[in-house]
């Protein structure tokens, strides 16, 4: 497990460092907090609209590839939370589909009624900060 964690941390760190490095090279002093917002307008370089489209398409592909992985763990954890003594969810199709439909409905409603994605990011960031800073250490200490 240690080599896997080391490799994934190295890969993620190198991607983040490369993104920040090339973001600074491309945008200079005009770089914004979110690098993706820099790709909304003319970059002032040849093929600017093509680069904008490539970044947008790659971000969309990234979301499509990451969503099933995140959704799988969310469904599995919610099943364990609500049905701790039931048979595994992989053997109960009715429970599998009911949890999947409920989660997809909740995500669809949230996606349609949240006016700005930054509201959702701020909520999850604030919630995660409190959980990491106060709840998880207390839970570990109590355990």
């Amino acid at each position: 497990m240690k080599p896997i964690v080391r490799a994934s941390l190295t890969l993620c760190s190198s991607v983040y460092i490369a993104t920040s490095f090339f973001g600074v090279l491309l945008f200079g002093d005009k770089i914004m907090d979110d690098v993706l917002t820099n790709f909304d307008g003319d970059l002032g370089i040849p093929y600017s609209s093509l680069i904008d489209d490539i970044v947008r398409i790659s971000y969309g592909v990234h979301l499509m590839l990451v969503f099933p992985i995140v959704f799988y763990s969310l469904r599995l954890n919610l099943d364990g939370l609500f049905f701790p003594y039931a048979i595994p969810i992989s053997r109960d199709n009715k429970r599998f589909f009911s949890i999947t439909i409920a989660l997809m409905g909740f995500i669809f409603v949230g996606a349609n009624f949240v006016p700005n994605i930054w509201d959702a990011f701020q909520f999850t960031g604030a919630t995660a900060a409190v959980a990491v800073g106060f709840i998880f250490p207390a839970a570990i200490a109590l355990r």
Side-chain angles (χ1 to χ4, degrees), residues 26-27 32 35-45 47-53 56:
L26 184 60
F27 302 112
M32 296 182 197
V35 175
L36 291 175
T37 58
N38 290 318
F39 289 100
D40 284 343
D42 184 26
L43 301 175
I45 60 173
Y47 305 108
S48 174
S49 62
L50 179 66
I51 292 174
D52 288 348
D53 292 339
R56 289 182 185 127

Side-chain angles (χ1 to χ4, degrees), residues 49-96:
S49 62
L50 179 66
I51 292 174
D52 288 348
D53 292 339
I54 289 172
V55 168
R56 289 182 185 127
I57 289 169
S58 66
Y59 190 68
V61 169
H62 171 264
L63 288 177
M64 288 189 299
L65 293 175
V66 167
F67 181 79
I69 296 168
V70 173
F71 192 78
Y72 171 78
S73 63
L74 175 65
R75 180 178 46 224
L76 196 62
N77 285 319
L78 281 179
D79 180 61
L81 181 68
F82 292 129
F83 307 106
Y85 301 111
I87 61 172
I89 192 170
S90 60
R91 294 192 181 132
D92 188 358
N93 287 336
K94 185 177 178 182
R95 197 171 77 232
F96 178 86

Side-chain angles (χ1 to χ4, degrees), residues 6-24:
R6 186 174 293 136
S8 66
L9 285 175
T10 303
L11 181 65
C12 289
S13 298
S14 63
V15 167
Y16 282 120
I17 289 169
T19 302
S20 61
F21 177 72
F22 289 113
V24 170

